[in-house]
Amino acid sequence: MPTTDVTWGAFSDDGPWVLDDGPQPWQAGLEGVRADVAAWVPRLTRRQLLPPACRLGTTVVHLGGALGRWAVGARRAGGTTSKRDLARRLRVAAEHLGPSYIKLGQIVSSGRGVFPDELVEEFGLLRDRVPPEPYAAIRAVVEEDLGRPLGEVFASFDRRPLAAASIAQVHAAVLRTGEPVVVKVQRPTVAARVRSDLRVMSWIAPLLVGRIPVAALANPPALVELFAETISEELDFRLEAENTVDIGRSFATLGQRGYVVPRPHPTLVTRRVLVMERLSGFAFDDVVGMQGAGIDTEAVVRTGMIGFLEGAMINGIFHGDLHGGNLLVLDDGRTGLLDFGITGRLREVERQACLRLLVSASMNDVRTQLVALRDLGALPEATALESLARQLGLDQPPLDPLAVSPEQLTAEIQRVVKALLGAGARLPKSLMLFVKNLVFLDGAIATLAPDLDLFAEIASIAWYFNERHGRQIALDTGLGAGTWELDLSALQEGTGIDPDQGGVLTHRELQERRKAIRDRVTRRPGRGRRRGRPT
């Protein structure tokens, strides 16, 4: 019989314990903890006259050495060769510099479409290259935080971790009361190292502006600020446990029962130790295994997309770091979510802006999209939106990247980036996490449902939101009831499809178009004059 906490949270049906529908013992004082974390981030990212000298020296040796060897070598070749060499050297430097830089690289690696492809691909190697802490150090942290010998809490505790990440590592264990659990343990010195590294990063970042070809809109100082905001809450596992419970509650209120989140233990949660229910299932990319078990992989993708969008746009909370390692598919086809250290929490004005952004995009309303981006913090308050729209060519017909020359396409991309930088565009944390998740889900479609009709799927998701949340959407966006009309003509034109003729675009076909576009830009960079909206 299902445990009673499933009535208010998206938990497994038969849990190892029951969570009360109210504050947990470890939540005492967490509101103040969140406020303190928010306060020290700007202090740490403000450029000081002098950074920590010892750590600066180590950082300069590795980071400066990487940049120097690139500058006298592959930089002269230019183009993709130069960018790939620089990305590789930065990845090697991050490995030598340790957890903070590895974590920064991991965040970049899950941001395809947000960060340059060369960085994403190279930094993806950092996910599996974090050596674990010695068992003795992990045991000392657990015993210090729980205030008891390990054997008084656990009947067994695996010495070898299930996974070792930059901030923490996870061990399988069994409680003395018999429940199988996973135990997330923070690396002993990581908090002090992160604070020291942030001071060094903030001191170095302004010196890199305009000096490396992989900065794009995520310029070095902005990237450090994003990193500080993202990693700050990960250093207190009580906040992660609270995030887990809050997202589980959000799914339940939305009726989203396609997700399962692990229960944190009612009492075994501290700043550096988090004991959780152990979930098991298929790896998110195990298509053969899932289909062999009769699981509809298209339904898995659809659940992922709707649940993520609904949590963000309706409740203002979402898992902020979707990637294959944080997801598994249970035997019954539901998706298990893991690791809530990075969680998107939108203020009301941001939630409404996010909602307006997606609704206006589905209606091909360019000006409202720019207003929403401004309200999300991606553009300065004083931005002249009409002028920016003209500079970006948004008043022109959409551009099909395969219908113009490589020189024209490259010039168009450069012109758009220049206009955005000139307008003061930046990537706030909430928008970065949101876009990063969309990019991951896009990749999930390629893996789990490559023949999904994208236009039909967009229409289906829009119908779902209109049917379930039409009144709230109308209130939050200012649209009149019944005036939300889907207009995919710009998207269709941008993908080479005549809107008047209809047509189908599968994700497999979209991937082929993207590859063709990348090949054109890589093969023949140049300049041109054609304006419009690139896809």
Side-chain angles (χ1 to χ4, degrees):
M1 183 175 180
T3 50
T4 56
D5 52 7
V6 299
T7 61
W8 62 267
F11 303 120
S12 61
D13 291 338
D14 300 301
W17 51 77
V18 176
L19 290 180
D20 292 333
D21 185 8
Q24 306 300 317
W26 39 262
Q27 285 184 291
L30 280 191
E31 186 174 341
V33 172
R34 287 191 187 276
D36 289 343
V37 168
W40 69 253
V41 167
R43 290 199 299 269
L44 284 177
T45 55
R46 187 181 305 118
R47 195 171 192 263
Q48 305 294 321
L49 181 62
L50 293 173
C54 182
R55 189 58 179 162
L56 175 63
T58 303
T59 303
V60 168
V61 166
H62 293 290
L63 185 58
L67 292 173
R69 287 187 289 274
W70 162 75
V72 299
R75 181 183 184 182
R76 299 175 181 178
T80 300
T81 299
S82 171
K83 292 180 180 180
R84 285 177 177 168
D85 182 79
L86 177 58
R88 181 182 64 81
R89 294 186 184 279
L90 291 176
R91 186 262 300 165
V92 173
E95 289 177 345
H96 286 297
L97 287 168
S100 301
Y101 291 86
I102 290 173
K103 180 65 179 180
L104 178 60
Q106 289 171 344
I107 291 173
V108 171
S109 75
S110 58
R112 186 176 298 276
V114 178
F115 302 107
D117 286 347
E118 294 82 6
L119 280 181
V120 169
E121 291 168 6
E122 191 66 40
F123 283 6
L125 299 175
L126 293 174
R127 291 198 176 277
D128 302 318
R129 298 197 181 188
V130 188
E133 295 285 340
Y135 172 71
I138 292 299
R139 178 171 185 153
V141 170
V142 174
E143 292 184 338
E144 181 180 343
D145 270 41
L146 297 185
R148 284 173 280 173
L150 201 71
E152 289 188 9
V153 182
F154 302 100
S156 66
F157 191 102
D158 289 359
R159 300 172 72 94
R160 185 185 299 273
L162 294 171
S166 55
I167 300 298
Q169 57 196 57
V170 177
H171 293 255
V174 177
L175 295 177
R176 295 278 296 183
T177 47
E179 299 90 348
V181 296
V182 293
V183 186
K184 185 171 183 178
V185 186
Q186 190 173 126
R187 293 176 181 269
T189 62
V190 72
R193 175 62 64 84
V194 164
R195 289 175 173 83
S196 177
D197 283 341
L198 282 174
R199 291 190 178 96
V200 171
M201 291 177 187
S202 300
W203 194 86
I204 292 176
L207 304 178
L208 301 179
V209 174
R211 288 181 167 83
I212 57 177
V214 290
L217 291 179
N219 61 74
L223 184 54
V224 171
E225 183 181 348
L226 272 175
F227 175 58
E229 292 177 357
T230 301
I231 199 173
S232 58
E233 292 191 357
E234 286 193 88
L235 297 174
D236 193 321
F237 291 169
R238 295 171 298 173
L239 298 177
E240 177 175 345
E242 184 175 67
N243 291 338
T244 307
V245 171
D246 288 350
I247 288 182
R249 188 186 299 276
S250 172
F251 284 141
T253 62
L254 293 167
Q256 280 289 348
R257 293 299 180 173
Y259 279 103
V260 173
V261 303
R263 294 169 176 85
H265 195 275
T267 60
L268 300 177
V269 178
T270 70
R271 183 176 66 84
R272 298 185 299 170
V273 176
L274 172 55
V275 177
M276 297 171 286
E277 173 183 7
R278 191 190 306 179
L279 299 180
S280 61
F282 296 96
F284 202 67
D285 60 355
D286 185 5
V287 179
V288 174
M290 283 188 272
Q291 292 180 345
I295 294 172
D296 183 348
T297 53
E298 285 193 5
V300 170
V301 167
R302 191 170 294 114
T303 294
M305 184 66 74
I306 291 178
F308 160 61
L309 292 176
E310 199 169 20
M313 295 194 299
I314 305 303
N315 284 350
I317 186 171
F318 58 94
H319 191 295
D321 192 23
L322 294 182
H323 61 74
N326 286 343
L327 293 151
L328 51 82
V329 178
L330 280 59
D331 292 341
D332 61 8
R334 290 184 294 173
T335 298
L337 275 179
L338 309 173
D339 193 351
F340 295 82
I342 302 177
T343 296
R345 289 179 179 269
L346 304 176
R347 294 178 291 113
E348 183 62 11
V349 64
E350 293 174 327
R351 183 192 67 78
Q352 292 185 4
C354 181
L355 182 58
R356 289 201 308 277
L357 178 64
L358 293 188
V359 170
S360 59
S362 73
M363 298 177 68
N364 197 23
D365 181 349
V366 172
R367 191 184 186 287
T368 301
Q369 291 178 64
L370 290 178
V371 172
L373 286 171
R374 182 196 63 195
D375 292 345
L376 279 168
L379 295 169
E381 282 290 331
T383 301
L385 298 180
E386 298 291 349
S387 174
L388 179 60
R390 289 192 296 272
Q391 291 179 55
L392 296 176
L394 299 180
D395 56 343
Q396 303 292 320
L399 174 71
D400 179 357
L402 295 182
V404 298
S405 70
E407 292 81 6
Q408 288 175 313
L409 178 58
T410 300
E412 180 66 13
I413 294 171
Q414 292 172 343
R415 185 186 63 76
V416 169
V417 170
K418 183 178 179 180
L420 288 170
L421 290 173
R426 61 184 296 271
L427 198 60
K429 174 189 172 184
S430 57
L431 184 59
M432 186 271 283
L433 296 180
F434 188 84
V435 172
K436 197 162 66 69
N437 279 358
L438 284 178
V439 172
F440 167 76
L441 289 167
D442 173 82
I445 296 174
T447 302
L448 302 180
D451 296 313
L452 200 67
D453 179 357
L454 295 182
F455 295 141
E457 200 62 27
I458 292 172
S460 175
I461 291 174
W463 179 87
Y464 171 89
F465 275 89
N466 206 4
E467 182 75 10
R468 292 205 62 192
H469 306 290
R471 178 171 297 185
Q472 181 176 344
I473 290 172
L475 289 172
D476 289 342
T477 62
L479 289 171
T483 60
W484 180 11
E485 295 184 0
L486 200 63
D487 180 0
L488 301 180
S489 59
L491 179 60
Q492 290 170 325
E493 290 174 10
T495 51
I497 294 175
D498 185 347
D500 295 329
Q501 299 298 319
V504 172
L505 179 69
T506 68
H507 200 278
R508 193 188 304 276
E509 293 168 338
L510 181 61
Q511 292 290 86
E512 292 171 355
R513 283 182 55 84
R514 289 171 175 168
K515 183 179 184 302
I517 292 167
R518 285 195 300 270
D519 289 346
R520 287 163 68 87
V521 174
T522 302
R523 194 166 52 241
R524 293 178 57 193
R527 302 187 61 82
R529 295 183 296 274
R530 173 73 181 270
R531 295 195 173 197
R533 282 176 287 184
T535 56

